[in-house]
Amino acid sequence: MLMQIREATEADVEAIWPIFHEIVAAGETYAYPQNTSKEEANRLWMQGPRKTYVAEQERQILGTYFIKTNQAGGGSHVCNCGYMVSSKARGQGLATSMCEHSQRVAVELGYKAMQFNFVVASNEGALGLWTKLGFETVGRLPRAFNHPRLGYVDALVMYKWLEP
Amino acid sequence: MLMQIREATEADVEAIWPIFHEIVAAGETYAYPQNTSKEEANRLWMQGPRKTYVAEQERQILGTYFIKTNQAGGGSHVCNCGYMVSSKARGQGLATSMCEHSQRVAVELGYKAMQFNFVVASNEGALGLWTKLGFETVGRLPRAFNHPRLGYVDALVMYKWLEP
């Protein structure tokens, strides 16, 4: 079962939506409104970013990520990415594959560093994974995320310089 | 010479532009392209944010700031502000007055904290001022800003909880 990561097209919107919706409606990991509509999701995930990718296996889309410039002007050498994996495919290394892929894409696009602006501290899976992949926790925003079960929790800023 | 801070109107766009342009064209403190156009400036400073204010003295606009929600969803209790002071009016306490004003506005609008996402570390004036006004440096982004004279410098994330 070969996993392929390729750039998303308009035709993938329908397959991305259930993954996005499942994660965002839970409200535990992304700073998007839990009731984000499909149209807004499309704007946030497909239209706003510089590029969007999907991870598919046997023509089934199981994960997706975007890459965009994090700050303009003097900050434009740093990119930002967001990753989502379907609950059907958790624990199979998809996030790792997508993050490694995104770092190669970032370098190809000319970025020198990658920043995650808002990793919810209670999202230990993501935190552990990004750390393993070389991201450093460079900031901690006290009580910056209102978690639906846990209340106010910290959010972390993670960063990796991509050039040798 | 009484200084007044009031909400900006469309009629203020012409007076905000020279302040914005002077600061952004220098490229040393804001992560906006140095050649940002007047139309784009208007979008960034007036249309995008939740509210924009001007500081004026004898009907002359000498400073301006915006306030907006920093992250949506579970992050929407934290606001973000940006401040600009005309070179004609530096060192007169305008930034302090605007920052204190913005904290009151933030509380009125229901925000619980204020975050500055990207304070260029070489901008010692701003850094010292925000620190004096109770903001904590909660993050340091290594070489995240390409300064036109200094090359890559760090950017800081600063944060203040506004509720007692």
Side-chain angles (χ1 to χ4, degrees), chain A residues 74 77 112 142-143 146 152 159, chain B residues 74 77 112 142-143 146 159:
Chain A
H77 59 289
K112 295 193 189 312
R143 300 191 280 172
N146 193 0
Y152 291 122
Y159 194 89
Chain B
H77 59 290
K112 296 194 189 310
R143 298 190 282 173
N146 193 1
Y159 194 90

Side-chain angles (χ1 to χ4, degrees), chain A residues 1 32 39 55 67 82 100 104 111 154:
Chain A
M1 294 213 296
Y32 297 141
E39 291 66 35
I67 183 166
E100 287 172 341
R104 290 192 297 271
Y111 293 112
D154 296 350

Side-chain angles (χ1 to χ4, degrees), chain B residues 138-152:
Chain B
V138 296
R140 176 175 282 265
L141 312 167
R143 298 190 282 173
F145 187 74
N146 193 1
H147 190 288
R149 284 183 297 108
L150 306 172
Y152 291 123

Side-chain angles (χ1 to χ4, degrees), chain B residues 85-120:
Chain B
V85 175
S86 164
S87 58
K88 292 181 227 165
R90 301 263 163 85
Q92 298 174 26
L94 241 75
T96 298
S97 297
M98 289 196 294
C99 184
E100 288 172 341
H101 189 275
S102 69
Q103 292 179 51
R104 291 192 297 272
V105 168
V107 170
E108 280 168 23
L109 292 173
Y111 293 112
K112 296 194 189 310
M114 188 179 287
Q115 180 175 331
F116 302 148
N117 298 308
F118 206 81
V119 180
V120 177

Side-chain angles (χ1 to χ4, degrees), chain A residues 17-39:
Chain A
W17 167 243
I19 302 173
F20 182 99
H21 179 63
E22 174 186 36
I23 289 168
V24 171
E28 300 192 349
T29 52
Y30 270 85
Y32 297 141
Q34 287 179 262
N35 63 355
T36 300
S37 68
K38 195 167 164 181
E39 291 66 35

